[in-house]
Amino acid sequence: MSRSDPMRSPALQLTRHELDNGLVVVHQPSPPNSVTFAVSWVGEGGTSRDPEGKEGVATSLSRLLNAGTRRRSKRDFAREIDRLAATFSARASWERLEIEAGGPQAAQQDVLALVFEALTEPRLESTELQRVRREMREGLLREATQPDERADRVFLERLLPVGHPYRRNPLGSPRSLGRLSREDLVRFHRQHLTARGSLLVVTTPDAPATLLRKLRGTFGTLDGTSPRGPPTVPESRHRADGRRRGELHYISVPGTSQVEVVVGGNAPPRRHEDFAALTLANEILGGRSVLSRLFQDVREKEGLAYGASSELESLSWAGLWTADAGTDPKHVQTVHHLLVDEVRRLGERGPSTQELERIRESFLGSLPLMLETSTQAHGLAVEVGYFDLPLDHFQQWPVELRALTPSDIRRVTQEHLWDGGPPLAVAVGPPLKDRHRDGATRRSGGRSAAGADHA
Amino acid sequence: MVGPSAPRVERRVLRNGLEVLLVPRAASPVVSVWVWYRVGAKNEAPGTTGAAHWLEHMLFKGSRRYRVGEMDRAIVEAGGILNAFTDADFTGYFSTVPREHLAAPLDIEADRMTGATIPSDEIDRERSVVLSEREGNENHPIFRVEEEIYGLAFREHPYRWDALGSVQDIRSMDREALYSFYRRYYGPDNATLVVAGGFDLPSMVREVDRRFSGIRAKVADPRVKVVEPPQRGERRAALRGPGSTPIVRIGWRAPGVGDPRASALLLLDLHLGGENALYPTGGFRGAREHPTARLYQALVDTGLAVRAGSDWPPRIHPGLFSLFAQAAPGVKGDRLEEALLEESRRLTRTLLTPQELRRLKERLVRGASLAWEGSTRTAFRLGFFRTLGNLAWDRQILRRALTLRPTDLRDTARELFLDASRNVVRYEVDPAREGKAASGGEGTDE
């Protein structure tokens, strides 16, 4: 069978352009044989830009971008998406507000026009704001009672100080939601959904010049400048408070079946010089691969959880990493020890040359799987565009990763993941019996899991 | 108008009964290999519920040629992905790899077909993994509601239990139960192999022959003979537990995929819930937002619910057609139930307008336009359609759907939404377990 060379894929031949209004456009050729195209508009109107006391405004706005425009009702907008066999979604994360759309290549022009319409002329009707408010209130209630969602929220609230851009709940609070008005949405829209400070990424069969010509009549007319750069990022509470290191903070939700255990801490942002090494450290620890240490330890060797994994967030202003697993209440301490112990071990000893080689080649070898269709390839272009990475970043990625040694992995794990002590740990699940009682905290020094608690 | 983009498929049947479907795509950088077995939770019995799913886990735990963990390593070290899934009607295994590594998934699937070892020392470890998978699902009220409604609606047919099985059965089953299930149902004469992606057709035919043609045919007939007796009255169940707001699910016994009414059910499902069950795009849990769907308009737009939808999972045997909704904060389950029932009754009384029906048909057809992009998706769809019926199953359903008139849909709704075959599950939030929104404080028990 012939060998594919992913580095020569047209989908990696990215170009960056700037329209006269300051909007940055990243062009990505569609992979051969792909019948679809994809587009993302990315602005810096994330939830961290919510005004004080009006938390939830960015999320509300993102949910209203597909709820009708000045020209079309919500139903007509949805019908048009259906007619084009297109997809359309909008979401707000801490840093960004994004619209992502796609569909058959034949519908590209119509879908681009629809994205522009949603971006520039949303209706923002009060009745729709009420609907979104109801949905977000339900989301807050769900977050309080569902172990996985609650564990993630509590983890952030314990790790990060008030005022940190990633600590804010994207859903706001019952109080802030009650205060939101249509005027707040209009103001936020005007400030943040602008040309300068935003990015448009298009994965298309069009040549760059053709695409730019098409965009000038629509996205080229967008105006305004949105604030850029990080808001104030205060020092992590966890890092500052050594007494809390190693504690497992347990929260009970009666009536649930499984405990969700989350450990983690701060990490560098995407453009940090150690990010490549941390990417591999995360792959070794608990990345996508079933070969990762956490999956092997927690599921394959011990049979303690259906899944165990870790994640390194790609963010601009600061960073986060987490590792998690869902387990039976009687195994919560053991799983906590296993998660912590692997971080400690990787930071103390690093991987073997063989382990590093195996994980790295698996990681690089998976690139062709992301280059078959426009939708799959699109995420790579958005990453390059949003983080302002070199256009040949993914072509150079193998060279950069293959230059890393086991000692590099050990160093970045020690420095960024272990960071002077065991990571913060939170567990949420059914009430525990006896010594694993409600609200209890247990300390893990990151010792070997052998002999750990089995209630 | 129907299925213009369905791929050209090279179909072969080996002497041992293995059906092989090949879709070569010269420009694709990957190859996706799937094996679909026509066995699932429907082939289990009380006492061994969950056996098909647990066995699926065990078939990654070694075979004649692969020791424990080596299957994973062979695929993942090549940059590929692999996984498997178990449903009521089928079990599927797949890998997608860069195309130069296609030998690995073919070798694995050939060995897995009859050569699994199901080692005793892995049984207990995997038992707790399976229990953990189930407990993780139990944390979500929607899973509890779905499991409950199938248990309520079916008393004889094996559709009454979830593919994950009962906790008691998972705790008590031994290796022999799993191994005999494997011996009984796994073999080439009960499977379809699908390969799609960047390969050369003649050499793939040789590669498949070399690995699979020597495997002996042997399996038991996987067809289920149990027929669920008619339901003679409404059945209800009430669940309580932690959660955000009440959930209501109403299910009626509905025909399977081979029934002539399947096309009408597909259109009713699209009209009510907005999901295209023929070419689904969303996840299986909860409804995506479909502002053009009738239930969304009647429940979400009016402030009664935060999500609402319908569900007719394509099944070989008669299954369930369900309507469901999750209440907006402050709305009681009674109001949700009444609103869902009103929408079902409306379809038995009033006709869809010609314009409404035309839009539904167009949506159904347009779903096909993107259904075949990507090798993994293509191989999945072919195997799914073949396992449910035949390769052209979707196009047959589409053709029939395009001929339907508003009266056909009303008549099907009248046959479907009968009071006597209704099953209602209500999930109420236990006040003692009601969550407080975590924001605005640490939200912990400290």
Side-chain angles (χ1 to χ4, degrees):
Chain A
M1 294 292 162
S2 60
R3 190 178 174 81
S4 61
D5 182 358
M7 295 311 137
R8 295 176 65 180
S9 168
L12 293 182
Q13 315 297 319
L14 307 178
T15 52
R16 185 183 273 117
H17 314 267
E18 190 172 321
L19 301 185
D20 292 343
N21 59 358
L23 178 67
V24 173
V25 176
V26 171
H27 171 275
Q28 179 182 42
S30 286
N33 282 11
S34 179
V35 296
T36 52
F37 89 103
V39 55
S40 290
W41 179 89
V42 187
E44 287 207 358
T47 59
S48 58
R49 306 283 186 193
D50 283 346
E52 198 68 37
K54 298 288 176 81
E55 291 81 7
V57 68
T59 302
S60 302
L61 179 61
S62 71
R63 293 188 183 194
L64 287 169
L65 289 178
N66 66 350
T69 65
R70 278 185 218 138
R71 300 179 212 188
R72 294 173 226 260
S73 68
K74 181 169 77 167
R75 277 180 210 171
D76 286 343
F77 190 86
R79 280 193 190 117
E80 184 65 0
I81 298 283
D82 288 347
R83 188 185 71 76
L84 297 169
T87 58
F88 182 102
S89 63
R91 63 183 284 266
S93 55
W94 294 316
E95 295 180 354
R96 344 178 193 174
L97 194 151
E98 270 176 271
I99 298 176
E100 190 174 312
Q105 286 170 359
Q108 178 182 299
Q109 200 55 17
D110 288 337
V111 175
L112 283 172
L114 213 54
V115 170
F116 183 69
E117 193 179 311
L119 188 64
T120 54
E121 303 176 22
R123 275 197 185 196
L124 309 181
E125 283 179 323
S126 297
T127 50
E128 286 299 312
L129 174 57
Q130 284 170 20
R131 172 184 62 81
V132 164
R133 204 183 271 143
R134 286 191 295 272
E135 291 171 1
M136 290 167 69
R137 281 186 172 137
E138 187 274 332
L140 287 168
L141 292 169
R142 195 176 60 237
E143 197 175 65
T145 55
Q146 208 152 285
D148 49 353
E149 293 189 28
R150 177 121 181 220
D152 288 345
R153 172 102 310 264
V154 173
F155 171 78
L156 291 171
E157 290 180 350
R158 289 183 70 83
L159 178 72
L160 304 171
V162 172
H164 195 288
Y166 307 151
R167 188 182 194 271
R168 283 186 169 183
N169 192 330
L171 296 172
S173 67
R175 183 180 292 182
S176 70
L177 289 176
R179 287 196 198 118
L180 283 190
S181 68
R182 183 177 188 277
E183 286 64 41
D184 294 318
L185 297 176
V186 170
R187 196 174 306 119
F188 195 89
H189 177 262
R190 196 170 51 239
Q191 284 174 349
H192 297 287
L193 278 70
T194 59
R196 205 168 289 277
S198 301
L199 169 74
L200 190 73
V201 181
V202 189
T203 306
T204 171
D206 284 347
T210 312
L211 175 72
L212 292 173
R213 195 168 56 245
K214 290 175 179 172
L215 293 178
R216 282 194 185 102
T218 51
F219 289 90
T221 65
L222 197 63
D223 57 15
T225 301
S226 55
R228 279 192 72 94
T232 309
V233 181
E235 191 185 7
S236 157
R237 180 196 295 184
H238 177 61
R239 185 172 282 164
D241 185 357
R243 288 170 305 165
R244 287 190 148 170
R245 314 250 0 196
E247 288 177 359
L248 172 67
H249 184 72
Y250 196 92
I251 294 163
S252 68
V253 179
T256 51
S257 297
Q258 189 171 80
V259 184
E260 189 71 21
V261 185
V262 179
V263 306
N266 302 283
R270 177 67 180 82
R271 287 176 60 88
H272 191 279
E273 59 188 3
D274 286 340
F275 199 84
L278 277 167
T279 301
L280 281 186
N282 179 60
E283 283 296 305
I284 292 166
L285 188 64
R288 329 146 285 128
S289 168
V290 295
L291 305 181
S292 75
R293 290 185 178 191
L294 293 181
F295 190 87
Q296 287 297 317
D297 286 355
V298 179
R299 172 166 164 162
E300 297 297 280
K301 290 188 193 138
E302 302 291 335
L304 296 176
Y306 176 61
S309 60
S310 64
E311 188 175 3
L312 177 68
E313 299 267 5
S314 287
L315 295 162
S316 288
W317 307 325
L320 290 168
W321 74 274
T322 52
D324 61 47
T327 191
D328 188 279
K330 66 177 178 283
H331 300 310
V332 65
Q333 297 297 336
T334 309
V335 167
H336 173 217
H337 281 292
L338 285 170
L339 296 178
V340 171
D341 198 49
E342 271 311 336
V343 184
R344 182 193 57 76
R345 210 159 60 87
L346 191 62
E348 281 178 5
R349 297 179 216 163
S352 68
T353 306
Q354 294 83 349
E355 183 182 23
L356 173 60
E357 181 76 3
R358 195 170 64 233
I359 295 284
R360 175 167 48 204
E361 293 312 310
S362 159
F363 185 65
L364 289 171
S366 66
L367 205 53
L369 275 61
M370 290 180 260
L371 295 172
E372 195 186 12
T373 70
S374 295
T375 316
Q376 292 164 337
H378 187 66
L380 301 177
V382 172
E383 187 165 356
V384 167
Y386 181 72
F387 294 107
D388 206 13
L389 302 173
L391 291 168
D392 62 352
H393 172 76
F394 285 104
Q395 288 161 311
Q396 297 305 320
W397 198 226
V399 177
E400 191 177 354
L401 294 185
R402 285 184 179 127
L404 295 167
T405 64
S407 64
D408 293 324
I409 306 301
R410 184 183 56 73
R411 179 187 62 78
V412 296
T413 306
Q414 188 67 251
E415 200 172 314
H416 300 292
L417 306 187
W418 190 255
D419 188 22
L424 179 70
V426 169
V428 180
L432 299 179
K433 293 169 189 165
D434 305 329
R435 59 200 168 127
H436 305 302
R437 70 188 182 281
D438 225 2
T441 54
R442 305 268 306 170
R443 186 173 292 273
S444 169
R447 297 183 305 274
S448 162
D453 301 319
H454 285 270
Chain B
M1 192 174 181
V2 174
S5 50
R8 219 177 128 175
V9 182
E10 172 76 14
R11 179 179 180 272
R12 306 177 69 240
V13 180
L14 305 189
R15 276 194 198 153
N16 56 15
L18 179 68
E19 181 180 39
V20 182
L21 308 175
L22 304 175
V23 185
R25 287 178 160 158
S28 173
V30 305
V31 170
S32 193
V33 176
W34 294 62
V35 178
W36 292 73
Y37 293 92
R38 288 177 278 280
V39 60
K42 70 177 165 58
N43 301 101
E44 297 161 352
T48 60
T49 66
H53 171 250
W54 188 356
L55 176 63
E56 172 231 296
H57 280 229
M58 296 308 298
L59 295 196
F60 288 85
K61 298 288 183 182
S63 58
R64 283 187 206 110
R65 292 184 54 194
Y66 295 88
R67 285 178 297 176
V68 178
E70 286 185 351
M71 288 179 180
D72 291 342
R73 276 201 291 280
I75 298 299
V76 174
E77 286 182 7
I81 52 169
L82 76 169
N83 213 330
F85 48 88
T86 307
D87 185 73
D89 290 330
F90 50 76
T91 308
Y93 300 80
F94 78 94
S95 313
T96 299
V97 292
R99 69 183 187 205
E100 59 270 25
H101 295 291
L102 66 85
L106 291 173
D107 285 339
I108 286 169
E109 295 308 339
D111 213 37
R112 172 151 49 202
M113 194 165 272
T114 57
T117 49
I118 311 181
S120 303
D121 56 348
E122 292 288 336
I123 290 284
D124 281 337
R125 206 168 5 234
E126 207 58 24
R127 186 194 312 276
S128 58
V129 169
V130 171
L131 283 169
S132 174
E133 185 178 359
R134 201 195 140 82
E135 286 167 353
N137 276 280
E138 287 172 358
N139 274 357
H140 299 263
I142 288 173
F143 169 80
R144 296 189 188 193
V145 170
E146 186 171 323
E147 182 177 46
E148 189 71 23
I149 202 164
Y150 277 89
L152 194 65
F154 294 92
R155 290 179 175 171
E156 302 294 333
H157 196 277
Y159 283 170
R160 70 184 188 271
W161 53 78
D162 189 88
L164 286 171
S166 78
V167 171
Q168 293 74 14
D169 288 353
I170 299 168
R171 286 202 173 124
S172 64
M173 248 186 293
D174 58 12
R175 179 184 181 274
E176 184 48 38
L178 300 180
Y179 192 66
S180 63
F181 196 87
Y182 175 63
R183 299 286 296 169
R184 192 170 168 79
Y185 293 115
Y186 276 69
D189 40 342
N190 193 28
T192 299
L193 167 70
V194 191
V195 188
F199 60 82
D200 166 65
L201 184 59
S203 56
M204 179 56 79
V205 169
R206 283 195 300 277
E207 297 288 327
V208 168
D209 274 351
R210 186 162 70 76
R211 290 172 175 85
F212 290 89
S213 59
I215 302 173
R216 278 178 38 201
K218 66 179 180 87
V219 303
D221 184 354
R223 285 176 296 184
V224 172
K225 307 287 190 314
V226 179
V227 176
E228 181 70 22
Q231 188 175 333
R232 305 219 181 272
E234 186 193 69
R235 298 172 189 167
R236 304 183 67 87
L239 303 175
R240 294 188 86 82
S244 56
T245 59
I247 298 171
V248 176
R249 190 175 182 107
I250 308 175
W252 290 265
R253 300 262 293 277
V257 293
D259 191 283
R261 291 166 291 179
S263 300
L265 289 172
L266 207 59
L267 286 170
L268 287 173
D269 186 26
L270 190 59
H271 173 66
L272 285 163
E275 270 294 303
N276 184 343
L278 202 54
Y279 304 109
T281 54
F284 77 103
R285 209 170 256 157
R288 289 168 66 239
E289 198 171 85
H290 289 291
T292 57
R294 185 61 214 149
L295 292 177
Y296 182 94
Q297 292 167 11
L299 283 92
V300 178
D301 277 343
T302 58
L304 288 178
V306 290
R307 57 188 67 86
S310 61
D311 181 33
W312 179 61
R315 289 267 167 95
I316 290 172
H317 302 277
L320 274 189
F321 188 106
S322 303
L323 310 184
F324 57 88
Q326 175 143 25
V331 174
K332 304 280 184 208
D334 290 342
R335 289 189 67 197
L336 276 195
E337 183 178 339
E338 189 45 47
L340 288 172
L341 283 177
E342 175 51 29
E343 291 312 311
S344 69
R345 290 181 187 126
R346 185 193 304 277
L347 283 171
T348 66
R349 289 193 307 257
T350 50
L351 296 172
L352 265 64
T353 65
Q355 193 186 26
E356 281 178 315
L357 185 55
R358 179 177 54 76
R359 281 197 188 122
L360 290 178
K361 289 176 179 177
E362 285 172 1
R363 278 196 62 199
L364 210 53
V365 172
R366 286 202 189 95
S369 65
L370 300 181
W372 304 103
E373 188 176 48
S375 301
T376 305
R377 190 189 290 184
T378 295
F380 162 78
R381 275 219 159 97
L382 283 175
F384 180 63
F385 292 152
R386 173 63 192 94
T387 305
L388 283 180
N390 59 63
L391 272 180
W393 177 73
D394 62 324
R395 277 162 284 169
Q396 288 166 3
I397 295 242
L398 276 176
R399 271 193 208 102
R400 205 175 297 131
L402 296 180
T403 67
L404 296 176
R405 297 159 301 171
T407 48
D408 297 320
L409 264 61
R410 185 200 55 198
D411 294 347
T412 303
R414 284 178 176 172
E415 290 174 41
L416 178 69
F417 298 127
L418 299 173
D419 290 351
S421 64
R422 189 165 64 220
N423 301 276
V424 182
V425 175
R426 295 260 296 264
Y427 187 96
E428 298 289 345
V429 177
D430 191 335
R433 296 166 178 177
E434 203 160 358
K436 286 182 221 128
S439 267
E442 287 215 329
T444 72
D445 288 354
E446 282 183 311

